[in-house]
Amino acid sequence: MKNIVILISGGGSNMAAIVHAAAREGWAKRLDARVSAVISNKADAKGLVFARDQGIATAVVDHKAFASREAFDAELAQVVDRYQPALVVLAGFMRILTPDFVGRYAGRMLNIHPSLLPAFPGLHTHQRAIDAGCKVAGVTVHQVTAELDHGPILAQAVVPVLTDDTADTLQARVLTQEHRLYPQAIAQLLPKI
Ligand code: GAR
């Protein structure tokens, strides 16, 4: 059984999309994989409620309780490793990870970022795409490396930027694609790890 551990910080809609897709499309069974745990750095992350309702183990490692990034990441790794993950999935996990943490899961940690990387790493991607006059925007699923929002690209999806778009309307259009793309990319990667 390949364990998938998902890290979130907030709403967890991508995590929920992965959990639903794994069941609905049957790849969890076919690939002998399951979402074993959902871990958040925030106790009030809404996604934790969904995960608990699905009977998935949850844990909170509050970054504010640690004096340094290294100390937080060390504890986070301990909690992640309890579930012996084949794959660690960052799904709206809004913490910068140390090179040690990234190295520990090299080749088996994914991130989703709401832009067409390498354009617009970091925050406020949708507003930045609008401000730059982009005609298209999108989403990227990539392997995680030590550099924020970099690493080998596994999948991308493109959406149009409409003339009357706000950051909110563009975000909603991109998010719909995120929910389709992330489960697909995970299902494609799982047989290779
Ligand atoms: C998603 O749009 C995801 O791409 C983004 O945070 C949102 C989380 O939503 N991630 C990043 O910006 C990472 N750099 P969710 O909690 O509903 O899945």
Side-chain angles (χ1 to χ4, degrees):
M1 173 74 74
K2 286 177 179 165
N3 293 314
I4 301 171
V5 170
I6 305 183
L7 306 189
I8 64 168
S9 295
S13 70
N14 276 289
M15 174 270 297
I18 294 162
V19 170
H20 282 316
R24 193 180 56 235
E25 291 157 21
W27 55 251
K29 208 168 190 179
R30 180 165 41 87
L31 303 172
D32 196 26
R34 63 165 178 193
V35 177
S36 308
V38 173
I39 301 170
S40 172
N41 64 309
K42 290 187 175 181
D44 61 354
K46 288 208 176 69
L48 290 172
V49 178
F50 169 88
R52 282 185 205 118
D53 286 350
Q54 299 289 314
I56 298 169
T58 61
V60 175
V61 184
D62 181 353
H63 62 278
K64 292 202 202 94
F66 296 86
S68 67
R69 221 176 261 291
E70 286 72 19
F72 168 68
D73 279 9
E75 174 62 18
L76 183 62
Q78 284 220 2
V79 176
V80 168
D81 286 351
R82 268 182 220 154
Y83 300 96
Q84 302 186 316
L87 191 63
V88 177
V89 171
L90 309 183
F93 185 69
M94 303 307 267
R95 299 294 305 167
I96 293 172
L97 295 164
T98 55
D100 269 5
F101 188 92
V102 172
R104 191 182 189 94
Y105 305 106
R108 55 192 179 104
M109 182 155 61
L110 302 185
N111 183 42
I112 190 160
H113 183 74
S115 78
L116 294 172
L117 291 174
F120 310 125
L123 298 174
H124 310 299
T125 53
H126 305 103
Q127 190 59 53
R128 286 158 68 204
I130 291 169
D131 291 347
C134 294
K135 301 299 179 208
V136 293
V139 51
T140 303
V141 175
H142 65 97
Q143 297 267 13
V144 176
T145 56
E147 200 178 341
L148 180 71
D149 297 331
H150 278 68
I153 291 172
L154 298 183
Q156 289 184 309
V158 178
V159 302
V161 179
L162 306 181
T163 47
D164 59 350
D165 261 338
T166 62
D168 284 349
T169 58
L170 180 56
Q171 183 205 12
R173 193 173 310 119
V174 171
L175 195 60
T176 304
Q177 292 304 311
E178 294 187 39
H179 296 163
R180 187 186 57 77
L181 192 71
Y182 214 178
Q184 210 177 67
I186 290 168
Q188 275 170 11
L189 183 68
L190 273 172
K192 301 180 200 155
I193 54 173

